[in-house]
Amino acid sequence: MLTVLLVLSACADPPGPAPEQPRPPSAWTYTPEADPAPPLTVAELEQGLDEVVDALVTTRPTTVTDLFDEAMTHRGDDCPASEENGAQTMVAGDCTTDDGWSWYGVGAVSHLRNFHVVLGEIDNFHYVWHFSTGNVQVIAADGRVRYELLGTTWYRDYEGDTGRALSIELWGEFQGIGTPTFDDTWIVEDRAVELYVELQTVSGGWEGTWSAGMSRLPGVVWAFSFGELAVSAACAEEPTGALELQDQAGTWHTVVFDGDTECDGCGVAWVGDTEIGAVCADLSPLVEFEVDPWEG
């Protein structure tokens, strides 16, 4: 009998697997990428081009040297350390004045008017020469007034080979907070700038090139960039060259102008290899002026 029971036991089905325990939820979740934002429309690009022109002609380069001059009014007897070299004043900070103004960094600022400058390749009579460079912060004791000058600006209004000429360089991060004189200027905005302008007078007016890039703009365009955009009074409303515009979603658009052949005030817009269409804008403020593009 015992033998029969052992045989029956050996032939019985083995026990099944233990029931599977539920797994704990994963700490990771999958979020599908959102569909890319559509490119700007023709109307939006035209508005964006107007914003580009407005940004260019409101970013007055000499506002930077004006801000530097204003900061210099808050120097103490020995703070910051300073040195005069002709028309140029150099400062070195990391100190606090008796009036509580804190100075940090190093920089230089200079001004000349009606002076023949010989410097390297420069050998010209200059009507106006403004220059500043460095990394300078100046902060009031209560922190309500602040000057930040990181970069370089160089404004030259001089007598060139064909007559009056302008050579402009501006790049960096600049901001002036708490001084009413600058409240209505671009320098109170959070704007990164890079700008190079070379213009000269010819028989028909001004001509030359603009190269620029700016970012952190508040409108349709968040940033823009272009190099060697040729402008001429012969076709003031349309330059020759391409502009890159980035919208607030991060998409770059290219607008190509051919003012040297068509001169109709309109360019062709693209996103990558996709053509959007013709966009029209008035870029004449870049070449039609009496004093300069910022003073008009």
Side-chain angles (χ1 to χ4, degrees):
M1 184 66 178
L2 180 58
T3 302
V4 174
L5 290 174
L6 291 173
V7 171
L8 291 174
S9 176
C11 294
D13 293 336
E20 185 176 347
Q21 297 299 315
R23 295 180 179 180
S26 171
W28 301 96
T29 59
Y30 170 71
T31 303
E33 293 185 5
D35 293 333
L40 298 177
T41 65
V42 167
E44 289 171 329
L45 279 169
E46 291 179 341
Q47 179 181 341
L49 286 171
D50 289 342
E51 292 173 2
V52 169
V53 173
D54 182 69
L56 290 171
V57 299
T58 58
T59 306
R60 178 174 170 264
T62 53
T63 300
V64 175
T65 47
D66 290 345
L67 187 72
F68 207 128
D69 292 341
E70 177 69 21
M72 296 284 272
T73 65
H74 301 294
R75 288 184 292 170
D77 292 337
D78 299 309
C79 174
S82 61
E83 180 181 337
E84 305 288 335
N85 185 4
Q88 181 166 275
T89 302
M90 294 166 284
V91 294
D94 297 341
C95 60
T96 301
T97 70
D98 293 340
D99 293 334
W101 287 88
S102 296
W103 282 77
Y104 304 99
V106 296
V109 60
S110 61
H111 304 280
L112 291 169
R113 288 184 179 274
N114 299 320
F115 193 84
H116 193 108
V117 178
V118 179
L119 178 66
E121 297 180 355
I122 297 173
D123 186 356
N124 302 94
F125 179 84
H126 282 70
Y127 303 104
V128 179
W129 170 295
H130 297 304
F131 173 78
S132 71
T133 190
N135 181 2
V136 177
Q137 287 185 318
V138 184
I139 306 170
D142 59 7
R144 295 182 181 180
V145 182
R146 187 183 191 98
Y147 307 92
E148 296 188 4
L149 301 127
L150 169 58
T152 293
T153 183
W154 198 2
Y155 180 99
R156 298 172 53 213
D157 180 352
Y158 64 98
E159 191 66 24
D161 294 336
T162 62
R164 185 167 162 241
L166 292 170
S167 181
I168 315 295
E169 176 181 342
L170 170 66
W171 61 266
E173 303 263 356
F174 309 97
Q175 202 162 36
I177 304 298
T179 303
T181 304
F182 299 95
D183 282 349
D184 294 328
T185 71
W186 66 275
I187 213 137
V188 299
E189 302 174 9
D190 183 25
R191 181 184 300 183
V193 301
E194 186 170 9
L195 178 67
Y196 306 94
V197 182
E198 297 289 341
L199 298 169
Q200 62 182 359
T201 52
V202 293
S203 58
W206 290 91
E207 69 175 23
T209 61
W210 288 68
S211 299
M214 297 187 191
S215 61
R216 302 195 298 270
L217 302 175
V220 170
V221 173
W222 187 86
F224 65 85
S225 176
F226 59 86
E228 298 293 324
L229 189 71
V231 296
S232 173
C235 179
E237 64 272 20
E238 184 182 353
T240 301
L243 291 85
E244 304 284 342
L245 285 68
Q246 186 183 43
D247 63 20
Q248 296 291 337
T251 302
W252 282 96
H253 305 67
T254 302
V255 183
V256 181
F257 289 101
D258 56 357
D260 57 338
T261 57
E262 292 296 326
C263 194
D264 57 3
C266 299
V268 179
W270 302 77
V271 172
D273 296 329
T274 302
E275 182 177 338
I276 297 177
V279 294
C280 303
D282 180 14
L283 278 73
S284 62
L286 304 185
V287 73
E288 287 190 338
F289 52 84
E290 292 294 331
V291 178
D292 66 23
W294 302 277
E295 299 296 335

